[in-house]
Amino acid sequence: MSAHRRPFPTRWLAAGGAAVLAGIIGVALLLQTGGSACAAPPSTSAKSGKATFYDLGGTSGNCSFETPADDLYVALGPDQYAGGASCGAYLDVTGPKGTVRVKVFDSCPECDTGHLDLSRTAFKKIGSEVAGIIPITYKLVKNPSVPGPITVRIKEGASQYWFAARIDNHANPLASVQVSGKSAHREDYNYWLIDGGAGSGPYKLKITDIYGNTSTVSGIAMKPGVVQKTSTSVSGKSTTVKTTSKSTPTPEAKKSSASASAAVKPTTVPPTASSVAPLPESAAAVPGTTEDALLNLAADPRPASCG
């Protein structure tokens, strides 16, 4: 276990229910080498699986996000969590009672591929709590609405010599992050690191998602433990915006920094499945732009050129 990684939260997996068909899901590996990478793009086609629910055993999941204001989130098994590559993505999950949209928030070490472990709130929207396990279909959402613009949180212990930042509200899974021209790598607890540091800041971050949408945010300060809000969104757009960030302390930061400002503003609840338009088919993934396993929630066949 990495010294910077929080332990997996204690979870409760409901028992009972009939066996259901596990989702046929693959993980596309994008190899950052001198040659071309060959990976199938994520698909928005629905896949079958099963869902349980759990109660969060702390204040945050393994993606290091704050708990969503609407309490709608999901934990994925190792193959689908993909070392943190799926963090911040959104899934539409359909069960016996309807459909709910959830944010990938946590990992579930004991979950097989196709087994989604939902928050209790999310589970109750699509199934009976007493059932414990329900059959579902689910799909990755492309360009979902998010509670607000991009936020950046510098990790405790970071300095000009060791850079670590968590990025939130990026809508689609991220493929790469550059910090003041330096490439960062993602850890499985969803922080982007530069081991040799990126200087004392302020920093300019170029963020690229798996569909090639990019955004650049500037003015990010070296303020460990503080959520810095920007005015930049990357939901289905390519933007380059110079942003003056607004710092908001997390509860953890309040204890360690006397200079932290007021608490995080309440976020807007993302739209439910009943109010969203039909989802478009996915564009091709950006080749060779990520250092980690890129989650392919519903794997398309490998391109013919892959051999």
Side-chain angles (χ1 to χ4, degrees):
M1 179 179 292
S2 167
H4 302 290
R5 178 180 177 178
R6 64 173 47 81
F8 289 114
T10 303
R11 64 180 68 251
W12 180 84
L13 291 178
V20 294
L21 179 65
I24 303 173
I25 300 169
V27 178
L29 297 178
L30 297 184
L31 304 178
Q32 188 171 33
T33 64
S36 61
C38 191
S43 168
T44 54
S45 299
K47 295 295 177 180
S48 299
K50 64 182 178 182
T52 52
F53 66 89
Y54 76 107
D55 294 315
L56 190 64
T59 59
S60 180
N62 218 57
C63 288
S64 302
F65 294 133
E66 291 78 35
T67 306
D70 58 11
D71 201 43
L72 302 178
Y73 55 85
V74 62
L76 300 178
D79 284 347
Q80 294 177 279
Y81 185 76
S86 59
C87 288
Y90 285 82
L91 307 181
D92 279 346
V93 185
T94 301
K97 291 171 57 177
T99 300
V100 65
R101 180 164 293 181
V102 291
K103 180 179 182 178
V104 178
F105 172 83
D106 205 355
S107 62
C108 175
E110 62 269 39
C111 292
D112 296 328
T113 297
H115 176 177
L116 276 57
D117 205 14
L118 300 170
S119 66
R120 185 185 293 263
T121 300
F123 187 93
K124 289 166 67 174
K125 287 182 176 292
I126 64 171
S128 171
E129 185 175 351
V130 297
I133 301 175
I134 56 173
I136 58 168
T137 59
Y138 59 98
K139 56 186 175 181
L140 177 67
V141 182
K142 182 181 177 184
N143 300 330
S145 296
V146 291
I150 295 169
T151 66
V152 179
R153 183 185 190 275
I154 304 296
K155 188 169 179 57
E156 293 81 0
S159 70
Q160 62 179 314
Y161 306 109
W162 182 73
F163 182 90
R166 182 212 69 193
I167 301 166
D168 199 1
N169 292 340
H170 46 76
N172 298 309
L174 293 184
S176 68
V177 172
Q178 289 188 324
V179 182
S180 300
K182 294 185 177 182
S183 294
H185 65 275
R186 176 173 40 209
E187 292 293 328
D188 63 359
Y189 51 93
N190 194 34
Y191 271 80
W192 293 84
L193 272 57
I194 300 177
D195 293 325
S200 58
Y203 306 102
K204 180 170 70 174
L205 277 63
K206 181 180 179 182
I207 302 160
T208 304
D209 71 21
I210 60 172
Y211 303 112
N213 301 313
T214 64
S215 182
T216 301
V217 295
S218 300
I220 302 302
M222 175 51 74
K223 294 182 178 179
V226 175
V227 175
Q228 301 183 54
K229 295 185 177 182
T230 78
S231 59
T232 304
S233 174
V234 295
S235 184
K237 301 176 182 178
S238 290
T239 57
T240 301
V241 180
K242 184 176 178 61
T243 304
T244 301
S245 62
K246 297 180 180 179
S247 300
T248 305
T250 60
E252 191 175 68
K254 289 185 195 176
K255 298 177 183 179
S256 60
S257 174
S259 62
S261 58
V264 179
K265 296 179 182 179
T267 54
T268 302
V269 177
T272 60
S274 61
S275 64
V276 295
L279 301 174
E281 284 302 315
S282 301
V286 182
T289 55
T290 181
E291 299 171 9
D292 304 291
L294 173 62
L295 175 64
N296 190 347
L297 281 166
D300 289 336
R302 286 164 56 88
S305 59
C306 293

